[in-house]
Structure formats: C-alpha cells, structure tokens
Amino acid sequence: MKSLNILSLTQASENLETDSFQNLLEYYGIELRGKEIEDLQSLTDCLCEHFDREYIFDDFFLGYKIPQISKEFDLLRFDSESVINIELKSQSSPDKIKKQLLRNFYYLSGVREIIFNFTFVSETQELYWLNNGEVEKVEIGILIKALSHQKIIITPKDPDEIFNPSDYLVSPFNSTDKFINNQYFLTGQQETIKRKTIEHMAKNNSARFYSITGSAGTGKTLLIYDIAKELQAAKKILIIHCGYLNQGQHLLNANGWNIIEIRHLGLHDLSNFDVIIIDEVQRIKPAQLRSIIETVLASHLCCMFSYDKLQTLSRSELNNDIDSKINEIPTIITNNLSEKIRTNKEIATFIKTLLNNKRDIPIRGDGNIDFIYFSNNTDARDYITSSDRSFWEILRFTASQYNSEHHEKYSDAECQNSHKVIGQEFDNVAVVIDSLFSYSEKGNLIYTGRVYYDAVKMLFQNMTRTRKKLRLIIIDNPIVLKRCISLLN
C-alpha cells in the first residue's frame, strides 16, 4: 500500500475514465467503492472551504487493514509522534461513532503516543472527535489544526511497518489481566459466531450443542472464553480443559471462574451448571464424551466443543476420531474459524513447508525465523539450559512415563512440554529437531525413534505456539538443516 494525496484522488475519480481510475487504485494498492469516494469527496470539499494549503491532503493511507486481524481504518496519516484517523460515514449516530472510535483508539495506541480520532459524516458535513473517551461534535478547524501541526518528514512506506498484529492478540492464558479487564476485541468472524451462539442459547430449554473448530492461531480459545465471560452474569458456566491447567486458568479460577481439568470430570456434577464448555476436546476419551453428552441431554444444558482435529499428540487420540463423534450429535450447530489471527504468516508458511519437503511455497522473509546447528546432544543441551528464558520459551517433547526416549538426552526438565502448553501462546518459541527426524518418500517429515507420543505432532504443536519469532535448535541433522537453509535463503 502507498500513501496518497486524497484531493488528487477525488479529482482523478471525477476526470479519469473508469479503467484509468481503476488502474490508479491498483497502483496505490487500495479498493474503493462508489459511495466511499463520494464520502471522501465531501470531506475534501469541506477542508478546501476552510483551508487553502494543499499539503494537508498529502500522505494519507486509505482503507488500511491490519494483517491477520482485518481491522480496517478509512484514513490514516502519520508523523513521528502522532497519528490522525478519520472515519468516513454517509450517516451515523453518536453511539456508533463512539464505539468505533474507541476500538480504533485501542489499535492505534500501540503505534503512536498522540492519537487524533475523527469521524466525518458526509450527509450533514459534521465532524466528531474522540476526546478523553467521549465523542464531541467539533468544527472542521480542529481537524485542520491537527493536520497542519503534523511534521511529515518520513512517511512509512507501508503501515505494515509499524503495526504488529501480535500486539493485539490477547490470550486468556498468557495475557490474563488484559482479558479480565476487557482490553481486547474480537474479529468480525468471532463477533458473528458469538452473537449467533448466544442468541440461539436463549431460545428454548432443550439441550443444545455447539462446536467451534479451526486450525492453530484462529482464536478458538479467546472466543469461547469471551462467550463464557458474557454468559457468566446470567448462567453458571463450567469449562473443561482437556489438558493441564496453566497459570492463566488458575488466575481466572481465583477470579470466580469454574475451570477444571478433564481428568477431574468425575468429581463434578455437570447438572449443576447451565453451560458446559469443553476446550481441546480432540483429546477427550470417548467414554468421557459419551458421559457429557448424556448429562447434557438429560439435564437440558447447553454444551460447546472447541477443538482442532489436527492437534492430536498420540495415536490413540487420532484413532478416537472425536471430530466424527461430535458431528454425529443430532442438531449440533457447527462453526469454523477460518481467519488466522495469531500465527505469523511467515512462520505459518515455513511450518507447512518444513513438514513436507515437496511443498514449494514462497516464504516472505521478515527475519522471524532462525536456526542453530549443533553436532551433538551435549552442546545442544548446554545451549538450551543457558538460554535466556525471559525471551525464549523453549518447548520440549512430552516424555513417556514407561520408557526412556532419545529426546530426553538433550531436554531440560525445567522447560514446558507439549502437553503443558496446550492452548497457550508465547511471543518467541524455540524447538528442537534432533537426528531422528527425516523425510519419507512422499516428502512428509517423520520420526524414526521410539516415542510414546507422536514426535512430529508434538513438534507441530510446539511450533504453532509462537506469535512472533521461531528458533529451531537442530542437532546432528544435515537433512533438516539443508531444508531450512533452502527455505530461508
């Protein structure tokens, strides 16, 4: 996306042929519909009536969307200290304007200290300003003053340079204080699923089943915990986590939530609750699933399943095929989150191509992935134990309770294992690829050592926990090293 002069753009829309104007939009990397250009024209006309210096029309980004979370701004203009945001509306109400500008303030507060948030209503040519959390109708001169005082010396080539999507992706587990204090927003897709689910739950007293599925990074956990928070005022909620509880969940329990581990299911009478939410349900045992379904039916409860069928860690979890059993429930309402909001696109593409060496997908190299090579387990272990744990979350494989396994030779027991981080996310993750990883004839990454839990699936689970950076610690494996070099060159 390129910055532009909005007066120039509106004049081009009036004078250029349709094809030429469309080519101009493509040059700037923007999309613009007929009504939007009319609203923009109304703004520029209003500015021209009150100010005759055309430099205030320069250096705007039009229709910018923050990657991965699809948050869109109509107009943005930056200098080194401030950002000006102008939303364009044909018509609106103060309540709607306030809601949007407060949301915009949340996203913009991470990139500049000084924020000017405006909404321009084209039909009435009224200008609204968000001031200390409240919306005021102001004269156009307030906007002109803000534009005039900006010192545009170096404009960012693309807002992607200054917006980091992961800064806005709040986890109930790893950003628990922000979650408790409502310092987050859902994506449009999440909002739609939430609204429809809560509306349906309120319709009648019969048993109701819902499922929310999606791959790693699509925001399943945030959505179901947000739904639970919304319902808590009127209903008694139980969340069943199919794994070990983490620190964030313990903190939520200390704040009045009811979250239990699946292994403690028998200690609770589900009929005492109104809504049962089961997270990471792909790991549940079939007998446990049947018991929950029977109780929900008998007690006329609401039940929600959240899962990714690909995130299984053992052969038994794969063979249980919980996804099919859930979809066999009559009248179940299914929802699939398709928008990846957590996973860095560079890292997501890298993981896909690492797991199969016959995939040839271009990787945008932004420096978020690196690797370190060691020829032996001893040096690798020394590196792992001496690494900066305040920066890197080094994730290890879950070991068997019955037999010793190769990965234990280099693992640090103080690192969290694959089962301990289920549902969590971290800014910077490091994982180990040892000498027993290889590729099959079909190109799939395989593990030739004896392990109780599937090593490739654990590696996938661990890599997909990262939000910003991924580091591979490669031990005596020239095959994987060569693959990494080819992908990252």
Side-chain angles (χ1 to χ4, degrees):
M1 171 174 280
K2 298 179 178 67
S3 63
L4 51 81
N5 182 297
I6 55 174
L7 180 60
S8 168
L9 186 71
T10 56
Q11 291 182 0
S13 72
E14 291 181 318
N15 295 290
L16 294 180
E17 298 291 336
T18 301
D19 289 347
S20 297
F21 183 62
Q22 188 60 40
N23 289 338
L24 184 66
L25 295 180
E26 291 175 3
Y27 168 77
Y28 285 118
I30 59 178
E31 296 179 5
L32 204 59
R33 292 177 290 273
K35 192 60 179 173
E36 293 171 332
I37 195 65
E38 291 176 15
D39 294 338
L40 184 61
Q41 178 76 64
S42 180
L43 172 65
T44 57
D45 288 346
C46 190
L47 289 171
C48 286
E49 287 178 13
H50 294 83
F51 199 73
D52 60 358
R53 298 183 184 180
E54 295 187 1
Y55 66 84
I56 65 168
F57 299 101
D58 274 337
D59 300 306
F60 278 94
F61 291 98
L62 178 63
Y64 172 71
K65 292 182 181 179
I66 302 176
Q68 298 169 232
I69 56 180
S70 299
K71 169 58 189 171
E72 183 173 359
F73 302 91
D74 287 347
L75 288 169
L76 290 176
R77 192 173 189 257
F78 300 91
D79 70 3
S80 60
E81 296 180 346
S82 68
V83 56
I84 296 174
N85 165 230
I86 309 169
E87 295 299 318
L88 303 173
K89 303 292 181 187
S90 298
Q91 52 187 353
S92 191
S93 68
D95 286 344
K96 289 181 179 179
I97 290 170
K98 180 180 178 179
K99 182 179 179 180
Q100 183 179 34
L101 293 186
L102 283 172
R103 181 180 290 238
N104 289 4
F105 182 86
Y106 166 75
Y107 287 107
L108 295 172
S109 59
V111 299
R112 289 294 186 269
E113 291 186 10
I114 303 171
I115 302 166
F116 297 97
N117 254 336
F118 296 95
T119 294
F120 180 78
V121 182
S122 62
E123 286 190 2
T124 60
Q125 290 207 329
E126 291 175 333
L127 182 69
Y128 293 85
W129 179 30
L130 184 70
N131 185 19
N132 294 322
E134 296 299 327
V135 168
E136 302 174 0
K137 187 163 69 171
V138 295
E139 298 298 324
I140 196 70
I142 297 292
L143 172 57
I144 292 172
K145 183 178 180 180
L147 292 169
S148 300
H149 284 186
Q150 276 192 320
K151 298 177 181 179
I152 311 293
I153 301 173
I154 300 176
T155 303
K157 293 180 180 179
D158 192 316
D160 285 356
E161 297 175 0
I162 58 177
F163 283 96
N164 189 338
S166 61
D167 291 339
Y168 310 107
L169 306 179
V170 170
S171 162
F173 305 154
N174 304 98
S175 310
T176 312
D177 288 338
K178 286 186 175 181
F179 175 75
I180 290 173
N181 294 317
N182 299 312
Q183 296 175 346
Y184 65 95
F185 289 102
L186 302 181
T187 66
Q189 188 183 32
Q190 289 172 320
E191 289 276 15
T192 298
I193 293 173
K194 172 186 174 180
R195 175 178 52 79
K196 289 183 177 179
T197 300
I198 291 177
E199 288 176 355
H200 189 269
M201 283 184 177
K203 283 185 177 179
N204 54 60
N205 294 322
S206 61
R208 281 144 290 171
F209 292 92
Y210 310 86
S211 71
I212 296 176
T213 61
S215 58
T218 51
K220 300 182 296 298
T221 298
L222 176 60
L223 176 57
I224 62 170
Y225 275 71
D226 181 76
I227 290 174
K229 183 198 288 188
E230 183 85 7
L231 294 172
Q232 279 177 343
K235 297 181 181 294
K236 194 171 182 182
I237 314 295
L238 176 67
I239 298 178
I240 302 171
H241 183 71
C242 297
Y244 299 103
L245 295 192
N246 54 57
Q247 290 183 347
Q249 290 166 318
H250 287 302
L251 180 57
L252 289 172
N253 279 338
N255 280 269
W257 289 59
N258 293 303
I259 308 171
I260 66 168
E261 295 177 0
I262 185 65
R263 59 180 175 155
H264 298 147
L265 178 63
L267 302 177
H268 299 266
D269 184 355
L270 302 190
S271 63
N272 291 330
F273 297 88
D274 302 308
V275 180
I276 311 298
I277 298 175
I278 313 167
D279 196 15
E280 304 289 345
V281 74
Q282 74 273 11
R283 298 190 172 94
I284 201 170
K285 295 178 180 177
Q288 294 170 325
L289 179 64
R290 286 196 299 271
S291 174
I292 292 171
I293 293 173
E294 289 171 0
T295 302
V296 170
L297 290 170
S299 302
H300 306 292
L301 310 179
C302 292
C303 181
M304 182 181 299
F305 305 104
S306 172
Y307 65 101
D308 173 9
K309 65 180 181 180
L310 298 180
Q311 292 273 2
T312 54
L313 296 181
S314 68
R315 189 178 300 277
S316 61
E317 290 175 353
L318 182 64
N319 293 336
N320 286 338
D321 193 13
I322 295 301
D323 175 59
S324 294
K325 293 178 173 59
I326 288 174
N327 287 319
E328 289 172 357
I329 300 174
T331 70
I332 188 168
I333 296 175
T334 61
N335 299 280
N336 180 256
L337 285 167
S338 57
E339 300 174 357
K340 281 187 176 289
I341 61 172
R342 170 167 54 85
T343 306
N344 178 292
K345 288 186 178 181
E346 177 191 3
I347 294 175
T349 304
F350 174 81
I351 292 172
K352 286 181 181 179
T353 51
L354 179 68
L355 293 178
N356 188 300
N357 66 6
K358 295 189 182 300
R359 288 186 179 131
D360 186 18
I361 307 172
I363 295 177
R364 173 180 170 177
D366 292 330
N368 297 309
I369 308 163
D370 68 7
F371 57 84
I372 297 175
Y373 183 84
F374 294 100
S375 62
N376 60 79
N377 293 326
T378 302
D379 288 336
R381 179 180 172 83
D382 289 343
Y383 173 79
I384 291 169
T385 56
S386 63
S387 292
D388 182 2
R389 301 298 172 80
S390 66
F391 187 83
W392 291 106
E393 191 72 35
I394 302 177
L395 303 181
R396 63 185 174 93
F397 296 147
T398 306
S400 169
Q401 299 180 28
Y402 312 105
N403 303 300
S404 61
E405 298 176 341
H406 175 74
H407 60 87
E408 295 178 87
K409 295 178 180 178
Y410 55 78
S411 296
D412 183 349
E414 294 184 1
C415 296
Q416 297 194 77
N417 65 38
S418 301
H419 283 74
K420 291 287 187 179
V421 297
I422 290 171
Q424 295 193 68
E425 59 188 50
F426 309 94
D427 281 348
N428 310 301
V429 168
V431 300
V432 181
I433 299 180
D434 62 40
S435 58
L436 301 182
F437 281 93
S438 186
Y439 288 99
S440 70
E441 291 184 4
K442 293 183 178 180
N444 294 318
L445 190 68
I446 58 174
Y447 194 73
T448 58
R450 185 180 66 173
V451 283
Y452 183 79
Y453 297 105
D454 189 313
V456 175
K457 287 184 175 292
M458 287 192 288
L459 177 64
F460 176 72
Q461 154 87 4
N462 293 351
M463 289 191 294
T464 56
R465 296 306 92 202
T466 189
R467 299 195 306 172
K468 294 183 178 179
K469 291 187 179 294
L470 175 66
R471 169 167 290 177
L472 306 184
I473 303 169
I474 303 172
I475 307 175
D476 189 24
N477 196 323
I479 295 173
V480 172
L481 177 65
K482 181 180 179 181
R483 179 62 173 162
C484 290
I485 292 172
S486 69
L487 293 176
L488 298 177
N489 257 347

